[in-house]
Amino acid sequence: MKNIKYKFTGLLLAFSITLSSCDKDFEEINTDPINILSATPDKLLAPSLVSTLSTNMIRNRNFNNELMQVTVSISDGDATVFRYEFRRTWSDYTWNNWYVQLNNFKDVFTLASEPENLNTSYQGISLICQAWVYSLLTDTYGDVPYTTANQGKNGILEPVFDKQKDIYLDLFNKLEEANNLLSQGKQIVASSDPVYNGDVAAWRKFGNALYLRLLTKVSGKSEVSAPTIAKIKEIVEGNPSKYPLIDNNAGSAVIRWTGETGSGPYVNPYVNAIRVQDFRTPGLGKFFIEHLRDWNDPRINFSAYGTEGINSLGINPGSNSFAGVPSGYLVGEEVTKSAYFYSYEQLASNKAIGTRSLQQSPLTGIIMNYAELQFILAEAAAKGWISGSAENYYNKGIANAINYWVPMFPADVSSATFTEYVSNADINWDATLSLDGKMEQIHLQKYFALFLVDMQQWFEYRRTGHPVLPKGAGLRNNGVMPARMTYPVYVQSANPTNYKAAVASQGSDEIFTNVWWQKP
């Protein structure tokens, strides 16, 4: 491997993208934040993690959040995401960037397998990262290139689209292998790891938590449900030393940004990717903000838990005290923006206040958090897959979702503060509900735990139908949540044979075509 740009050129060949159209995008997206001088695993890992997470954060903000009613743009224009209508060009950004970084993560494994760099921990981390990114790809598009992807330098210029089922089954194999490799505890360079600062055991716990996320995603498919549910039970109830899991918020997989506003490898990507006036432009969705308001949630409380009058989520309540914009409103309908996210420039008096803006916050770089794991376990317990208490997992999910953003709020579910909060908010676990009612309880709280976590809110809604979202009269796509992004348009001409085969297998290349794990 000569350098990163050589590898990216190979990727471009694999998808027959012209260099003239993509060189500039590559330079912007894949700029090396730690000045790689030679190709070793420790030099390649950090920039690949940062670039992937930056891509996820951008699409979380302008795609996931608009679909899932976190934000609502004030717009009567065409192709507005919150009305379930968007142009096909939306597909290019994530497709291109994720495949670039997959190439780099695969190189981490290759380099860590060479005799002079042999390191089983880098190999295991590489496999976790590959599973993470491939799951994002297939959950977003459905069938995608997998077994022959990133093989342009080997002469494979038109990769086959693998079926989503086959991709998932192989991702499980990757995560099994990663768990075994990381169990050896081989030391890595701390500075190469912006997620866990070289803590290999923490990577192993995250890998197994990710494993549970992916197993849960496909657990409803009859052809794989039995072994999937059995594996969930084995991971959760078997020997904890075999499949260790994240056990507190400190173990969440997060890149903690510096909280600065200039340039640097670990500055919050929102600082430079989104103009300050654009960051505060969308109104907050009625569904999102008014639940928090009605619960008197600590995350938006600026008296007991705020800093100089700014709450932990950096939300300006607006003139109407945390009122939100109804999503899916009709074109021409008059709506009023009230609550919105502060831009860092509005809070720039000092760093402590500035970091209350999500644009500058160190806390937005979430890959997977502990609260999500607790809600995965709550669902498994409620469905009888594991023997633990669904109520306990549910409560721990709520407490830790709040504690992540509000460290003063106790993560201990037996504390008087937590008990008072859930009681006053009327969100206590209700064991008398039907299974569907329990899923609504769990997934409403999981929705808030997944705040800023790439497009997991969208994925989970498509999988479960929860939480139930209000439907505005202006929705397109027959009022049905889009099931996928379409493939990038250029793929039709760059890889026509395999594109047509994918469409014939999966269904029409439209946003309403369900991916495999969504189909009955």
Side-chain angles (χ1 to χ4, degrees):
M1 184 187 70
K2 299 296 184 184
N3 53 43
I4 293 179
K5 193 165 184 177
Y6 171 82
K7 297 195 306 297
F8 182 59
T9 302
L11 177 66
L12 293 179
L13 287 172
F15 295 99
S16 298
I17 308 169
T18 61
L19 284 171
S20 61
S21 66
C22 294
D23 269 352
K24 183 177 184 292
D25 289 341
F26 165 69
E27 296 296 343
E28 293 174 352
I29 294 167
N30 204 39
T31 299
D32 171 13
I34 57 172
N35 298 316
I36 295 174
L37 299 177
S38 59
T40 56
D42 58 295
K43 297 291 179 63
L44 200 53
L45 179 62
S48 302
L49 286 165
V50 170
S51 294
T52 303
L53 194 50
S54 299
T55 298
N56 297 355
M57 287 175 61
I58 296 301
R59 274 296 178 260
N60 168 271
R61 177 170 172 81
N62 58 22
F63 187 79
N64 175 90
N65 286 359
E66 291 282 300
L67 284 178
M68 293 302 297
Q69 304 189 20
V70 176
T71 58
V72 181
S73 296
I74 309 301
S75 173
D76 285 340
D78 294 333
T80 47
V81 175
F82 72 87
R83 291 195 184 97
Y84 299 173
E85 183 179 44
F86 46 91
R87 295 184 176 87
R88 289 176 179 268
T89 51
W90 276 84
S91 303
D92 297 18
Y93 178 72
T94 44
W95 179 281
N96 293 344
N97 291 355
W98 284 337
Y99 273 113
V100 170
Q101 299 315 322
L102 278 168
N103 205 45
N104 291 331
F105 287 132
K106 289 177 181 180
D107 279 343
V108 169
F109 188 94
T110 299
L111 292 166
S113 303
E114 294 176 348
E116 63 271 26
N117 298 316
L118 188 62
N119 188 300
T120 53
S121 291
Y122 280 118
Q123 291 173 357
I125 292 168
S126 165
L127 292 175
I128 290 171
C129 292
Q130 289 179 52
W132 169 44
V133 180
Y134 269 123
S135 70
L136 294 173
L137 271 162
T138 190
D139 290 347
T140 301
Y141 303 98
D143 298 351
V144 294
Y146 181 75
T147 54
T148 57
N150 303 99
Q151 296 293 319
K153 59 189 175 185
N154 296 326
I156 301 176
L157 304 181
E158 297 185 19
V160 171
F161 287 61
D162 294 72
K163 295 183 184 299
Q164 187 177 65
K165 175 185 174 181
D166 297 333
I167 293 171
Y168 258 87
L169 294 178
D170 196 61
L171 296 183
F172 298 158
N173 292 335
K174 279 181 165 56
L175 291 170
E176 287 281 358
E177 185 179 356
N179 183 51
N180 291 331
L181 289 166
L182 290 168
S183 69
Q184 300 175 36
K186 183 73 172 178
Q187 188 174 10
I188 65 172
V189 178
S191 61
S192 72
D193 174 13
V195 179
Y196 289 118
N197 196 37
D199 187 343
V200 171
W203 270 102
R204 189 181 179 203
K205 292 177 181 180
F206 161 50
N208 291 325
L210 178 64
Y211 198 174
L212 287 176
R213 176 199 276 180
L214 301 191
L215 287 164
T216 302
K217 195 86 71 185
V218 304
S219 60
K221 294 296 295 182
S222 59
E223 63 260 49
V224 297
S225 60
T228 295
I229 292 168
K231 177 55 71 172
I232 290 172
K233 186 176 181 66
E234 179 187 355
I235 292 173
V236 177
E237 297 185 349
N239 185 342
S241 65
K242 182 177 180 181
Y243 291 105
L245 292 167
I246 299 171
D247 50 15
N248 54 43
N249 261 336
S252 298
V254 176
I255 294 182
R256 293 185 180 268
W257 312 115
T258 62
E260 303 293 341
T261 58
S263 60
Y266 303 122
V267 169
N268 187 326
Y270 288 153
V271 169
N272 297 307
I274 302 174
R275 296 182 301 175
V276 290
Q277 62 267 35
D278 291 339
F279 197 84
R280 58 180 183 260
T281 294
L284 291 185
K286 181 180 179 69
F287 181 84
F288 174 81
I289 191 59
E290 294 187 12
H291 271 96
L292 294 175
R293 180 197 67 190
D294 295 346
W295 294 336
N296 191 24
D297 195 279
R299 285 165 286 198
I300 64 167
N301 185 311
F302 41 68
S303 56
Y305 297 104
T307 299
E308 296 189 28
I310 309 300
N311 54 55
S312 295
L313 296 185
I315 293 173
N316 185 318
S319 59
N320 200 16
S321 189
F322 294 113
V325 179
S327 188
Y329 61 87
L330 285 164
V331 173
E333 181 179 350
E334 186 174 343
V335 295
T336 302
K337 169 186 167 183
S338 181
Y340 66 91
F341 291 118
Y342 283 109
S343 65
Y344 79 82
E345 164 266 344
Q346 292 176 286
L347 306 176
S349 58
N350 60 66
K351 179 179 174 180
I353 301 302
T355 55
R356 284 286 172 153
S357 164
L358 296 181
Q359 192 172 20
Q360 189 178 341
S361 171
L363 299 177
T364 59
I366 308 168
I367 300 171
M368 185 175 185
N369 59 42
Y370 178 59
E372 179 188 347
L373 174 60
Q374 295 309 296
F375 289 120
I376 289 170
L377 298 176
E379 178 177 343
K383 291 180 173 178
W385 300 345
I386 60 175
S387 59
S389 164
E391 179 179 8
N392 188 50
Y393 290 130
Y394 169 80
N395 285 336
K396 288 171 71 174
I398 294 173
N400 282 278
I402 297 173
N403 173 263
Y404 179 83
W405 293 100
V406 188
M408 289 184 291
F409 188 87
D412 180 2
V413 298
S414 66
S415 70
T417 301
F418 175 78
T419 302
E420 181 181 11
Y421 165 71
V422 294
S423 178
N424 290 342
D426 195 22
I427 55 174
N428 281 300
W429 178 253
D430 187 349
T432 68
L433 292 173
S434 66
L435 179 59
D436 188 65
K438 291 173 182 175
M439 290 303 100
E440 178 66 14
Q441 266 204 295
I442 290 169
H443 284 278
L444 177 57
Q445 296 301 325
K446 188 176 184 180
Y447 167 91
F448 287 95
L450 292 175
F451 175 60
L452 299 186
V453 185
D454 53 69
M455 297 192 285
Q456 293 302 317
Q457 286 178 332
W458 179 46
F459 299 158
E460 283 295 89
Y461 181 85
R462 287 161 45 201
R463 179 178 73 87
T464 68
H466 298 291
V468 176
L469 297 173
K471 300 233 180 231
L475 291 178
R476 310 295 172 82
N477 198 42
N478 294 317
V480 178
M481 175 67 72
R484 59 187 290 271
M485 283 188 180
T486 59
Y487 296 123
V489 174
Y490 68 77
V491 173
Q492 298 180 35
S493 57
N495 192 1
T497 301
N498 293 312
Y499 168 81
K500 291 174 183 176
V503 172
S505 173
Q506 178 170 263
S508 60
D509 187 16
E510 302 293 344
I511 65 171
F512 53 74
T513 297
N514 286 341
V515 302
W516 167 74
W517 53 249
Q518 287 178 265
K519 295 175 181 177

